Amino acid sequence: MLVIGIYLLVNLALLYALPLPQMAASKLAAADAMQVVFGARSGQIVTALVLLSIVAVVNAALMFTPRTLYALGRDGLFSTRAVVVNQGGTPVVALAVTVLVATILISLGTFEKLMAIYAFFAVANNIVLIGALFILRKRSPDLPRPFRTWAYPFAPVGVLLISIALFVGFIVSDTRDSIYALMMLAASYPIYRLTKKKSV
């Protein structure tokens, strides 16, 4: 609730400081709003803070992405080499694959393009996950569930509808990057089939 409250307050502050057309055209609304309120130097401060926060995002990605590949390898959905860990418990092969793919992606385009493709996949992933919730409930109604979805089915249906609307919005507003994301998804499928075949 605290995070939601802070997020809403920040957005209200941005709407108060910037006219809506200016915010829509801005690449970094927080920096523009700070510049309006405190002057030119404040925009640089906000940009520095945003760049600093990206370090935390990169850290999180380098923590969870290799472990996702590890879990996929363990379940036979990726190469079994992904389950190799070092003495500290770090999945080294999965980490190396993550770094390799990240390096390739960095060389393919700008930061804005990568973020657009990431946002496309993030929303698509939400749609798939929420859809899987309904399918799992239907196929395996008697499975033990230590954690149950709040206000089922209304809450997940609401989030699913919002995610679908965002997904359609991404495609309409940024069709080119959406096509790039779909091409990457299509290119990854043969790799998935190859690694799955080797792991069987």
Side-chain angles (χ1 to χ4, degrees), residues 53-123:
S53 70
I54 289 174
V55 175
V57 174
V58 171
N59 177 64
L62 288 176
M63 288 292 288
F64 76 75
T65 305
R67 284 154 183 82
T68 301
L69 294 178
Y70 169 88
L72 289 171
R74 181 193 60 198
D75 294 343
L77 299 171
F78 191 62
S79 172
T80 52
R81 293 182 181 180
V83 301
V84 175
V85 297
N86 63 14
Q87 291 182 347
T90 301
V92 288
V93 174
L95 181 60
V97 171
T98 300
V99 171
L100 176 63
V101 172
T103 304
I104 293 170
L105 289 174
I106 289 169
S107 67
L108 291 180
T110 62
F111 179 76
E112 288 82 4
K113 182 178 291 296
L114 292 177
M115 287 304 297
I117 292 171
Y118 168 77
F120 178 93
F121 280 119
V123 177

